[in-house]
Amino acid sequence: MQSALNHTFFWCQKEQLGINPTKTSIIPFTQRRKVQLKPLFLNQTQLVYSSEVKYLGFILDAKLNWNSHLQSVVQKGLNTLWVCSKTLGKRWGLKPSMIMWIYKTIVHPRTTYASLAWWPKTNEAAARDKLNKIQRTACIAITGAVRSTPTLALDAMLHLPRLDQFIKLEAEKSALWLKRTKTLLSGDLTGHLSILNEFAINPAIGICSDWMETVVNYDLPYDVFIPSRQEWEGGGPSVPTGSINFFTDGSKMNNLTGNGIYGPRTKISVHLGQWPTVFQAEIYAILECVLLCLRRQYRFAKICIFCDSQAALKSLNNYT
């Protein structure tokens, strides 16, 4: 470690950068009760050994038991709710829906930050009680219920999972992102990555999820044109003579998504359910239109597909 510190210091001098030794912490991660290590120096300044360190808002302790970080998470969550409580009362203040929005938008991200690393702490009963205290405080503020109302009843009425369960869910999402960027073997699924074992599929083979690998294609078999406002005001873009014209559209209304295709001998509407976005509906309509042309086996034809979504057109014009 001393050799690494010297190397770092000399490199910083060469690049005309400075290091503040008073802001540099040394923390040995070990379960030993007594640790005897030689002193370390940076620019002739002895560094102080520490039992915990805060890095990017995340507290790491020497034994990795996450007690300090859990305490910080609970305090931050309660402080946020106490600040928001000044805006409401039993019969006045913000609407319950707005308080719910504050809890989900502000408190949830603060409590689940870096959950992939410290989620095993939620397996302890004491830790679960501390975390659920945050959610109970929020539920009382949202519903205005009396203090004797059971916590589980409040969670059920507001359709909220327990906070420890929500932290595990966010950790699972982070683990899936990590799985997509790194090849993991079965022996890697220990510690905080053991949460991937929750899935009923061998993570070494692959996890079924809504994910597509990035593919690069520099030979696009089509051209994308986005006419300017002046062209539309002048009568619209010119269409090649004898071209086969199709019109596609996607929309979402009342939590239901669908798209449509109109053209020669074509009048199709597709129901896509409640989960797709309008962007996905627009892209899927263009895809169905292209597949329709392939099934009809158009040969040496000029085909024009009109779409009113610039986001869809610009994404199709990308090389990825």
Side-chain angles (χ1 to χ4, degrees), residues 72-91:
S72 175
V73 166
V74 173
Q75 194 62 44
K76 286 181 180 179
L78 293 176
N79 289 344
T80 303
L81 292 175
W82 288 334
V83 172
C84 296
S85 66
K86 298 179 181 179
T87 62
L88 58 100
K90 287 290 184 181
R91 299 185 180 181

Side-chain angles (χ1 to χ4, degrees), residues 7-197:
H7 182 78
T8 304
F9 175 71
F10 292 143
W11 180 85
C12 289
Q13 278 191 322
K14 178 182 176 182
E15 300 296 331
Q16 298 183 352
L17 299 174
I19 301 179
N20 188 350
T22 60
K23 292 186 177 181
T24 304
S25 300
I26 299 294
I27 173 171
F29 296 103
T30 177
Q31 294 292 339
R32 295 180 180 180
R33 295 184 178 181
K34 295 183 179 181
V35 181
Q36 295 181 351
L37 298 174
K38 296 180 179 180
L40 297 174
F41 296 87
L42 180 61
N43 190 19
Q44 299 180 353
T45 302
Q46 184 174 347
L47 301 179
V48 179
Y49 285 93
S50 175
S51 59
E52 63 181 39
V53 64
K54 188 174 183 180
Y55 181 72
L56 297 178
F58 182 58
I59 301 177
L60 294 164
D61 56 89
K63 295 185 179 181
L64 295 180
N65 54 24
W66 315 116
N67 288 333
S68 299
H69 184 72
L70 176 65
Q71 183 179 356
S72 175
V73 166
V74 173
Q75 194 62 44
K76 286 181 180 179
L78 293 176
N79 289 344
T80 303
L81 292 175
W82 288 334
V83 172
C84 296
S85 66
K86 298 179 181 179
T87 62
L88 58 100
K90 287 290 184 181
R91 299 185 180 181
W92 59 271
L94 298 176
K95 295 181 180 179
S97 59
M98 181 58 66
I99 305 173
M100 175 72 86
W101 180 87
I102 291 174
Y103 177 63
K104 289 186 175 181
T105 309
I106 302 176
V107 180
H108 266 177
R110 298 195 75 179
T111 54
T112 60
Y113 176 70
S115 57
L116 178 59
W118 65 275
W119 70 265
K121 186 67 176 178
T122 61
N123 293 327
E124 300 179 8
R128 291 196 297 266
D129 293 339
K130 293 179 181 179
L131 290 170
N132 290 326
K133 182 180 179 181
I134 302 176
Q135 183 152 305
R136 176 176 175 80
T137 304
C139 291
I140 293 293
I142 295 169
T143 61
V146 296
R147 295 293 175 179
S148 58
T149 307
T151 303
L152 292 179
L154 293 172
D155 294 344
M157 285 190 297
L158 298 177
H159 195 62
L160 289 172
R162 294 201 320 266
L163 190 53
D164 61 289
Q165 294 176 340
F166 184 75
I167 290 173
K168 284 187 176 182
L169 176 62
E170 292 300 305
E172 289 176 353
K173 293 179 181 179
S174 301
L176 286 175
W177 279 102
L178 184 62
K179 173 65 177 65
R180 293 165 184 162
T181 58
K182 181 178 176 62
T183 302
L184 300 177
L185 303 177
S186 57
D188 298 327
L189 304 181
T190 59
H192 58 276
L193 284 181
S194 63
I195 199 167
L196 287 174
N197 293 323

Side-chain angles (χ1 to χ4, degrees), residues 257-284:
T257 308
N259 58 29
I261 306 171
Y262 179 81
R265 297 179 291 115
T266 305
K267 192 175 182 180
I268 302 173
S269 60
V270 181
H271 174 66
L272 300 177
Q274 61 176 330
W275 304 116
T277 62
V278 176
F279 172 78
Q280 291 174 322
E282 296 277 6
I283 293 292
Y284 189 70

Side-chain angles (χ1 to χ4, degrees), residues 233-252:
E233 291 175 350
S238 58
V239 180
T241 304
S243 62
I244 305 174
N245 301 326
F246 289 92
F247 299 85
T248 64
D249 193 22
S251 62
K252 189 168 188 176

